[in-house]
Amino acid sequence: MKKTSVIKHFISNDIVLMEGDNKKYYENDYNSELVKKETNEGITDTDFNEKIRYEVAKFINHSFDNIVVLAGAGASVVVDDGKIDKEFGKTVLMIAKAIEEKMREEIDMFTLQELATMSSYEEPVLDTTLKNFNNRFNLEDFLSNLLTYEQFIKDSKIKEKFIKSKNKILDLIKDNTNYNFNSSKMKHGSFLKILSKYTNTPNKLTIVTTNYDTLFEEAAANLNFTVMDGFTFSYNPYFDSDMFEWNLVKDIPNVKTKELEYKKNIINLLKIHGSLTWENSIKDNRIYRKNKKLVEKPIMVFPSSNKYMQSYENPYFELFTKFQELLRRKNTLLITTGFSFADNHIAKMIIQAIKHNTGLAVLVSDYNIEQNHENWIELDALRNNHFRIAFLKATLNDNLINFLSERKRAGNNDY
């Protein structure tokens, strides 16, 4: 008998919800088909999504003091008719492919394969047919090799061409992560509105992102939200990490107490890999936030293993320290979206927080919740050991807000 193939949509300590062949849905194993109690018929796609919504609500149906979101590259991706819309967010693999194509067009620069060969990067850029991009090519590892190899180049002409090629690659990374918010295709605004309702003052919703783009800032501006991003409210905003600790308050009129009213719809935004809007000023050794059209050399941690070293420099050190402090707080919910946990530096930070902070609950959302790399496997092992972790097959610009939009009370349901 052929075994039913299933796709897991929700995994927690209590339940696993799966979709099988022919739109059949299962609970915990493929022998337990979900059916309607009154008719014993299989449930519909709508019913299955409601069941997921119910389980998500049960997992997060708690008055958390703090809600923290970690948004990775996938949070900027827009899928249309099953395909990623290249006008918006791109995966790291898509960026690598775009770089490879552009570098082949540059006559006075090395191609990606030439650079890979020079720096002894073992994985070929193209597959054995020399036609298709090699999906095993890792842009992060490649850049690490590249940056390490640079210091060993002796020939001045080769080094000049090498540096020119390297800088072109970094510019292409910037170009491929520079896109504008589109409210008709992107759901960052709805996402902020939903989670802000679950956050009680004086606490603030915190968005932590590895992305350089300005999608959260633009979505917040559309909603008239106030963003505390670590920059002052001055004419030329400059970075001051102390800004994250401030709230906006006013006196309550006609009340003979010292109570204060906190301004609502304020979010913290920690851009832990930099931003297209940040630029260093040599003149006064400050980091300023500007309109991204006016920034020539944005402050960005590019994908490479050197991210670990760069994160000990400012402003990254202060931002990472703040993120760590948030993960140590009691009664905290962390929601990840579009973050694959392949970034060891951040993944290990979260895993250690889970192990040591019993007050931390983690909802991991991604387009694929059955990944097979080391950090993902360790997360699932912690879930199996009864840590408060759940996995949800959902993406920010697709169905994530549908599963977060209602928090039902735990109780009986129809399945």
Side-chain angles (χ1 to χ4, degrees):
M1 182 178 177
K2 183 181 177 181
K3 184 177 179 180
T4 302
S5 61
V6 295
I7 299 173
K8 294 177 181 177
H9 284 254
F10 183 77
I11 306 170
S12 72
N13 291 330
D14 300 327
I15 196 171
V16 179
L17 296 175
M18 304 174 288
E19 176 186 354
D21 298 330
N22 300 318
K23 287 293 181 180
K24 290 186 177 181
Y25 303 100
Y26 303 88
E27 178 179 322
N28 296 330
D29 64 67
Y30 64 89
N31 292 317
S32 301
E33 184 181 351
L34 284 166
V35 296
K36 295 180 180 179
K37 290 180 180 178
E38 65 274 12
T39 63
N40 205 38
E41 296 175 347
I43 66 171
T44 65
D45 181 60
T46 300
D47 296 328
F48 183 62
N49 285 330
E50 283 300 317
K51 175 65 174 174
I52 297 173
R53 192 200 308 269
Y54 169 82
E55 293 298 335
V56 171
K58 190 166 69 171
F59 182 78
I60 66 175
N61 191 19
H62 183 71
S63 297
F64 288 101
D65 293 328
N66 306 288
I67 298 179
V68 181
V69 174
L70 173 61
S76 302
V77 170
V78 172
V79 176
D80 192 7
D81 290 332
K83 295 182 179 179
I84 295 176
D85 190 331
K86 294 182 180 179
E87 295 298 315
F88 300 100
K90 300 178 180 68
T91 65
V92 176
L93 182 60
M94 289 173 65
I95 293 173
K97 288 180 180 179
I99 291 171
E100 194 278 330
E101 291 174 2
K102 287 290 185 182
M103 294 303 289
R104 274 192 282 119
E105 297 173 359
E106 299 292 338
I107 300 174
D108 57 343
M109 296 185 196
F110 292 115
T111 66
L112 223 57
Q113 183 57 65
E114 288 172 333
L115 290 168
T117 302
M118 291 171 65
S119 61
S120 300
Y121 179 69
E122 296 180 356
E123 199 68 57
V125 177
L126 300 178
D127 63 19
T128 53
T129 67
L130 299 180
K131 293 180 180 180
N132 298 319
F133 194 85
N134 178 11
N135 289 342
R136 295 187 304 276
F137 179 85
N138 186 301
L139 183 61
E140 181 169 320
D141 291 342
F142 166 76
L143 279 176
S144 296
N145 274 33
L146 209 62
L147 297 174
T148 301
Y149 177 71
E150 181 180 342
Q151 60 186 311
F152 299 106
I153 301 175
K154 302 297 183 183
D155 189 295
S156 59
K157 288 185 178 180
I158 293 176
K159 188 161 189 174
E160 182 182 355
K161 185 176 179 180
F162 181 94
I163 292 173
K164 189 175 181 180
S165 303
K166 178 199 69 175
N167 290 338
K168 179 65 177 180
I169 291 172
L170 299 183
D171 285 339
L172 287 170
I173 292 175
K174 180 181 72 173
D175 294 341
N176 279 275
T177 54
N178 186 3
Y179 25 79
N180 297 318
F181 179 69
N182 184 324
S183 59
S184 66
K185 292 181 177 289
M186 296 175 161
K187 300 182 180 180
H188 295 65
S190 299
F191 185 69
L192 293 177
K193 282 197 293 185
I194 290 167
L195 293 182
S196 291
K197 290 179 181 178
Y198 302 154
T199 309
N200 299 318
T201 54
N203 298 314
K204 300 190 290 288
L205 170 66
T206 297
I207 306 294
V208 181
T209 181
T210 60
N211 299 335
Y212 315 128
D213 60 56
T214 57
L215 301 183
F216 279 109
E217 296 98 308
E218 292 178 56
N222 286 353
L223 296 171
N224 293 319
F225 275 36
T226 300
V227 177
M228 309 288 277
D229 61 353
F231 285 77
T232 62
F233 289 123
S234 54
Y235 178 72
N236 291 314
Y238 60 89
F239 186 78
D240 178 1
S241 61
D242 191 46
M243 294 297 298
F244 289 119
E245 307 304 322
W246 287 85
N247 263 305
L248 301 180
V249 298
K250 69 176 180 180
D251 294 326
I252 300 176
N254 303 321
V255 176
K256 296 180 180 179
T257 68
K258 293 185 178 180
E259 291 185 12
L260 298 172
E261 180 181 342
Y262 288 86
K263 190 180 189 305
K264 296 182 179 180
N265 297 330
I266 298 181
I267 64 169
N268 278 339
L269 177 64
L270 280 67
K271 305 188 76 170
I272 55 177
H273 282 171
S275 177
L276 294 170
T277 61
W278 298 0
E279 193 165 40
N280 265 317
S281 171
I282 300 175
K283 182 179 179 181
D284 55 9
N285 197 29
R286 280 179 171 172
I287 298 167
Y288 286 94
R289 188 188 68 226
K290 305 176 181 179
N291 185 304
K292 63 183 177 181
K293 294 179 181 179
L294 303 177
V295 176
E296 294 183 6
K297 294 182 179 180
I299 299 177
M300 305 158 72
V301 175
F302 289 106
S304 78
S305 62
N306 289 331
K307 283 188 295 187
Y308 184 79
M309 295 302 296
Q310 286 178 278
S311 64
Y312 282 93
E313 302 172 2
N314 286 329
Y316 309 114
F317 179 78
E318 291 169 308
L319 294 170
F320 269 94
T321 300
K322 179 64 178 177
F323 185 26
Q324 284 182 306
E325 188 269 323
L326 289 167
L327 294 177
R328 287 195 294 264
R329 290 184 181 180
K330 300 296 183 184
N331 203 26
T332 293
L333 172 65
L334 171 66
I335 299 174
T336 72
T337 176
F339 181 74
S340 68
F341 284 83
D343 186 319
N344 276 321
H345 189 196
I346 301 173
K348 297 300 184 186
M349 183 192 303
I350 294 171
I351 288 169
Q352 289 303 311
I354 292 170
K355 290 178 179 178
H356 295 99
N357 181 6
T358 57
L360 177 65
V362 182
L363 177 64
V364 178
S365 66
D366 200 70
Y367 72 97
N368 175 17
I369 59 173
E370 299 179 84
Q371 300 191 41
N372 197 35
H373 60 74
E374 177 185 352
N375 295 326
W376 199 278
I377 292 170
E378 185 171 3
L379 274 175
D380 198 42
L382 289 172
R383 179 193 62 80
N384 275 319
N385 284 323
H386 306 291
F387 286 88
R388 297 165 66 192
I389 302 170
F391 298 89
L392 171 65
K393 180 177 170 58
T395 59
L396 194 153
N397 289 315
D398 185 15
N399 53 350
L400 179 57
I401 62 170
N402 297 332
F403 296 126
L404 296 175
S405 59
E406 294 181 20
R407 296 207 290 181
K408 300 177 181 179
R409 292 189 178 278
N412 296 326
N413 58 31
D414 297 327
Y415 315 112

